[in-house]
Amino acid sequence: MPFTAVRRAVSESVSGLPRAFWWLWTSTLVNRLGAFVATFMALYLTLERGYSASYAGLVAALHGLGGVVSSLGAGVMADRLGRRPTLLIAQASTAVSVAVLGFVQHPVAIAGVAFLVGMASNASRPAVQAMMADIVRPEDRVRAFSLNYWAINLGFAVSSAGAGFIASYSYRVGFLIEAAMTMACAIVVFMKLPESRPVRTALEKASEPETGLGAVLRDGRFMSVVGLSFVVALIFQQGSVGLPVAMGAAGFTPADYGIAIAVNGVLIVALQIPVTRFIEHRDPRRLLVISSVLAGYGFGLTVFAGSVGVFALTVCVWTLAEIVNAPTQTGLVVRLSPTHGRGRYQGMYTMSWSVAALVAPLMSGTMIDRFGAEWLWGACAVLGTGAALGYWGLMRGLPAEEAVAEVVVPVVPVAADPAAGSNLAASDA
């Protein structure tokens, strides 16, 4: 492709988005560049501290449980306290708790702090997604969510490679680097991001009751999307929990798994933006149906894998599904969310992925031990088919999304909303 065509494609992919989005995007990238705990926690506990694999698994589960507990609380905070304060609290808390985790030594203390890290590190997600929905026009949201997802994966790919070198020198240094970079994100939020939460007018307050968690739970269509999201997330989680176990049981080395799974990160970084240009104005129902089938049968094809090359090919299939599914599904969540309840809706959506992260290891371990890996991959194909049918039926009759020419809501300073409540007790993961 000529250089001018590539330049034009890149320009069209990033143009038209507000400045606040790019500061939020920068915060996401910096945060992921500093990721260390999620990547090397198991190695830190087993190799550096000398704990058993069972204890490392318990700590990982507590870290995930923290994310589940805080998802809804952070969504409530984003709606009541504001997106910007929620981000500041979440990122500052993450920085402090990660730094503490690098110094505590008692097993109970490590487990407790890991739970807090899980809560704090996941707490920013509903606020980030709600803020993006606030400041980006509806017709640009799929592109914006895709760019943010690209930043997450780019940062994680770079940090994973760098963290390996850091770990060989000192695990504690890695924890401190992550703490410092997360605090840098908090500073970016404080200095550059104004509050974006839409201000409820007196007429809206009188005519529309505040969206509570009960209203979210009673929203049948949305909760169905949350359920389908859980199913799809359960499939994608097998790339990090089921696949390495199955490859190890088949006689492959950790290096072989590293080669196969590296394809996932490389493809996302290389294809996320061009694929998004192709899908951003297409029917979301078809995209979600196709991505669900590709995810299910991408993992299902793993049953035929007998070499690293074939494993890598199956990773290519479900990675393409991931590239399509992530921005499309996040955009659908925003589309189904009321303007003044975006934080709570995003919190519920985030929780579906957090719960999947807890269930997936149990699912893969049980099925591989009792029935064999072939049954796990067959189950993934069945789940993918079920999710596709669910999306097809659920989205029939979905009203067209309203397009607006301006930014969705005015960006106002935090102090401009005197009615901003405080719900600090509702923390999120």
Side-chain angles (χ1 to χ4, degrees), residues 51-86:
Y51 292 113
S52 66
S54 297
Y55 175 76
L58 173 63
V59 172
L62 287 172
H63 182 275
L65 181 61
V68 174
V69 170
S70 64
S71 294
L72 295 179
V76 173
M77 284 179 64
D79 281 342
R80 298 186 63 181
L81 189 62
R83 287 45 159 153
R84 183 172 178 262
T86 302

Side-chain angles (χ1 to χ4, degrees), residues 120-401:
S121 61
N122 201 47
S124 61
R125 293 182 183 179
V128 168
Q129 293 166 342
M131 181 174 278
M132 283 190 182
D134 294 339
I135 63 180
V136 175
R137 297 177 301 181
E139 60 266 31
D140 292 331
R141 283 176 185 156
V142 169
R143 180 160 55 101
F145 287 128
S146 179
L147 287 168
N148 190 64
Y149 191 68
W150 182 80
I152 291 172
N153 283 277
L154 175 62
F156 185 76
V158 174
S159 69
S160 297
F165 293 103
I166 296 170
S168 64
Y169 172 72
S170 169
Y171 282 92
R172 180 171 293 170
V173 169
F175 286 109
L176 293 177
I177 289 175
E178 176 166 352
M181 296 191 75
T182 306
M183 189 60 73
C185 293
I187 293 173
V188 169
V189 170
F190 179 76
M191 297 294 295
K192 297 296 184 179
L193 283 175
E195 178 57 62
S196 68
R197 180 182 53 159
V199 178
R200 287 168 60 88
T201 64
L203 179 60
E204 288 175 328
K205 292 178 180 179
S207 60
E208 301 176 13
E210 184 177 353
T211 303
L213 287 178
V216 179
L217 293 171
R218 290 190 296 271
D219 188 334
R221 187 193 292 266
F222 174 75
M223 290 305 299
S224 297
V225 169
V226 171
L228 293 172
S229 169
F230 168 77
V231 173
V232 172
L234 201 60
I235 298 173
F236 284 131
Q237 289 290 336
Q238 299 308 322
S240 59
V241 295
L243 185 59
V245 173
M247 289 184 69
F252 292 92
T253 67
D256 293 330
Y257 168 71
I259 292 171
I261 201 63
V263 174
N264 174 256
V266 170
L267 286 181
I268 290 176
V269 171
L271 298 181
Q272 185 72 64
I273 293 177
V275 169
T276 299
R277 281 173 48 79
F278 178 75
I279 69 171
E280 64 176 323
H281 297 302
R282 298 183 183 273
D283 182 4
R285 177 173 64 175
R286 290 186 179 181
L287 295 176
L288 290 170
V289 168
I290 291 171
S291 63
S292 298
V293 171
L294 285 176
Y297 285 88
F299 279 99
L301 290 172
T302 309
V303 73
F304 301 108
S307 67
V308 175
V310 178
F311 276 112
L313 287 175
T314 64
V315 172
C316 289
V317 176
W318 58 260
T319 297
L320 182 59
E322 185 179 357
I323 291 172
V324 173
N325 180 273
T328 306
Q329 184 147 262
T330 308
L332 175 62
V333 171
V334 174
R335 188 171 173 180
L336 296 176
S337 306
T339 300
H340 300 289
R342 284 175 179 153
R344 291 174 172 84
Y345 273 69
Q346 290 292 347
M348 185 67 72
Y349 169 65
T350 298
M351 190 180 70
S352 69
W353 282 82
S354 299
V355 174
L358 282 179
V359 175
L362 300 176
M363 170 185 169
S364 60
T366 300
M367 296 196 73
I368 291 174
D369 287 342
R370 294 190 177 184
F371 308 107
E374 296 82 2
W375 283 83
L376 174 63
W377 308 133
C380 287
V382 172
L383 290 173
T385 302
L389 293 174
Y391 280 120
W392 182 263
L394 179 68
M395 297 185 64
R396 294 178 62 184
L398 185 69
E401 185 171 26

